[in-house]
Amino acid sequence: MAILELRDLTKRFGATTAVDHFTLSVEKGEFVSLLGPSGCGKTTTLQMIAGFETPSGGSILLNGRDLRSVPARQRGLGIVFQTYALFPHMTVEENVGFGLEMRKVPGDERRRRIAAALDLVHLSHLSGRYPRQMSGGQRQRVALARALVIEPELLLLDEPLSNLDAKLREEMQLELRRIQQEAGVTTLLVTHDQSEAMALSDRIAVMQGGRLIQEASPFEAYDRPTNAFVSTFLGKSNAIDAHLEETRDDGAVLRCGDIRLAGPPSPARPGPVLISLRPERIELCDAAAAHVSGRVGERIFLGDQWLFKVETSLGELLVVRPNSGRREPEPGETVHLSWRTEHLRILAAEPAA
């Protein structure tokens, strides 16, 4: 059952349409991420749900109740901002309990809920500290506890991890997912970080230019992107210009310059298309088994893996290989590349600029 429904939600600022007929349903207990580049409309969408922006059109339903005429303070939503917005003169306990105090929750009940929220985020032992005495990750958990203590129907997260360094951000992703699952709260996250969205979410809603481009599980969005934008925005991808010559129930025939390739079945019509191929799906092989050969132009060590840029007749291809400790090809070497047919994704060609 959907707890949140956005129906044709639209926001215009003068002649600019920031959110364009956006429709999305979020199920109870689900973790959904709005993912896209800066300026795609994801934060504006969140602000309309929170009540900080007024929609130009469409509706926002929370458990069937239309929120458009409900003031922000009366929507009962938990919100965690990018800056956390903690009160510096209040202790952790006082910060967490502020929303309950504003709601006139009785003292005994307030103390019980504060203690439960602090226990959930593993900060009970720091209840008497002030924000300035805490690390970034701890402050982020205080902000989460403050949002959760009011027992919201919906938790809104506005890039809450973006101010943390890379290692701490990775740790906090695991912590945030644990907290959300233990609390069982329906959560909507706004982020431009693809790995964050994929690590945390049950579903991802990819946005571009104010529109919803693809809505899917992280695996499906990554493995079966609907267009070139999703393919390149969600991780690294090779986009290869091709011509779809024929498509049958058992597969497709593609031509890339002088090279003919077999592809998976595709609903696309014959004509110009793009082939999407993930770098980790490409394997090194013997010359006889190769789809294409090329010369290593660049080799980059990433710790747990190697990234190669290989110059081929299909263009420059990115190839990712796990760091196995064995010798890897060096710049200037000729390598032979292959892949499984089902790992190719045939996408509509991008319109000419």
Side-chain angles (χ1 to χ4, degrees):
M1 178 180 177
I3 186 172
L4 175 69
E5 292 182 79
L6 308 178
R7 299 177 181 172
D8 285 325
L9 193 61
T10 300
K11 180 62 180 180
R12 300 185 188 90
F13 296 97
T16 301
T17 300
V19 179
D20 192 1
H21 296 281
F22 185 90
T23 295
L24 179 73
S25 294
V26 180
E27 303 295 317
K28 184 174 178 58
E30 196 175 22
F31 196 124
V32 175
S33 290
L34 302 183
L35 175 67
S38 297
C40 73
K42 57 188 185 296
T43 297
T44 301
T45 301
L46 194 80
Q47 289 175 337
M48 286 191 285
I49 298 169
F52 303 142
E53 290 286 355
T54 302
S56 305
S59 58
I60 304 168
L61 302 178
L62 184 64
N63 280 324
R65 178 179 60 145
D66 194 336
L67 295 183
R68 286 196 55 174
S69 60
V70 179
R73 65 181 181 279
Q74 295 177 13
R75 297 191 180 193
L77 307 177
I79 306 174
V80 178
F81 297 101
Q82 184 176 342
T83 57
Y84 313 145
L86 301 178
F87 297 110
H89 62 287
M90 291 185 180
T91 65
V92 167
E93 183 176 8
E94 291 167 340
N95 265 286
V96 173
F98 180 77
L100 299 178
E101 188 174 350
M102 292 297 99
R103 287 166 173 78
K104 311 295 184 187
V105 175
D108 288 346
E109 173 70 6
R110 187 164 69 242
R111 284 187 288 273
R112 181 192 67 78
R113 286 166 65 172
I114 292 171
L118 288 176
D119 184 59
L120 179 66
V121 300
H122 296 169
L123 285 178
S124 300
H125 62 297
L126 299 179
S127 62
R129 287 195 181 180
Y130 290 91
R132 65 179 179 275
Q133 298 171 312
M134 310 183 79
S135 69
Q138 289 170 334
R139 289 196 296 271
Q140 193 261 0
R141 283 187 282 161
V142 174
L144 270 174
R146 185 177 63 182
L148 292 170
V149 77
I150 64 171
E151 299 177 352
E153 294 179 276
L154 179 67
L155 177 64
L156 303 178
L157 305 176
D158 185 10
E159 307 219 33
L161 308 182
S162 61
N163 288 332
L164 305 178
D165 63 60
K167 186 175 186 301
L168 182 55
R169 185 164 62 247
E170 199 170 280
E171 293 172 358
M172 284 307 305
Q173 288 173 5
L174 298 175
E175 188 72 357
L176 178 56
R177 185 58 167 158
R178 175 193 67 79
I179 292 168
Q180 186 268 337
Q181 289 181 323
E182 287 189 19
V185 63
T186 308
T187 302
L188 189 66
L189 167 73
V190 159
T191 182
H192 64 272
D193 188 317
Q194 303 94 324
S195 61
E196 182 173 289
M198 288 191 285
L200 290 170
S201 309
D202 297 307
R203 278 189 300 135
I204 295 174
V206 183
M207 297 183 68
Q208 180 189 25
R211 291 181 173 271
L212 177 62
I213 302 301
Q214 183 171 2
E215 171 196 343
S217 70
F219 177 83
E220 184 179 356
Y222 181 85
D223 202 54
R224 292 184 288 278
T226 56
N227 65 12
F229 171 78
V230 178
S231 173
T232 54
F233 191 75
L234 276 178
K236 297 179 177 65
S237 182
N238 294 295
I240 304 166
D241 290 316
H243 188 91
L244 178 61
E245 293 189 336
E246 183 182 0
T247 183
R248 304 182 298 267
D249 290 341
D250 61 345
V253 178
L254 298 152
R255 181 172 291 281
C256 309
D258 296 330
I259 298 177
R260 177 170 283 184
L261 298 174
S266 170
R269 296 179 178 179
V273 293
L274 281 176
I275 300 173
S276 173
L277 177 61
R278 296 291 183 187
E280 66 273 16
R281 300 297 196 186
I282 302 177
E283 300 176 354
L284 301 187
C285 64
D286 295 331
H291 288 101
V292 68
S293 298
R295 185 181 66 85
V296 176
E298 193 173 348
R299 182 179 75 168
I300 303 169
F301 181 58
L302 300 175
D304 60 341
Q305 57 187 212
W306 290 89
L307 173 66
F308 298 89
K309 295 182 179 180
V310 182
E311 298 162 5
T312 77
S313 56
L314 297 178
E316 183 181 80
L317 296 182
L318 297 178
V319 180
V320 168
R321 287 172 54 80
N323 177 19
S324 62
R326 297 191 294 268
R327 179 190 176 279
E328 297 291 347
E330 298 184 5
E333 282 191 42
T334 296
V335 292
H336 310 289
L337 309 177
S338 67
W339 49 82
R340 292 167 59 179
T341 298
E342 61 265 31
H343 290 154
L344 295 179
R345 297 289 173 255
I346 301 173
L347 308 173
E350 293 289 275

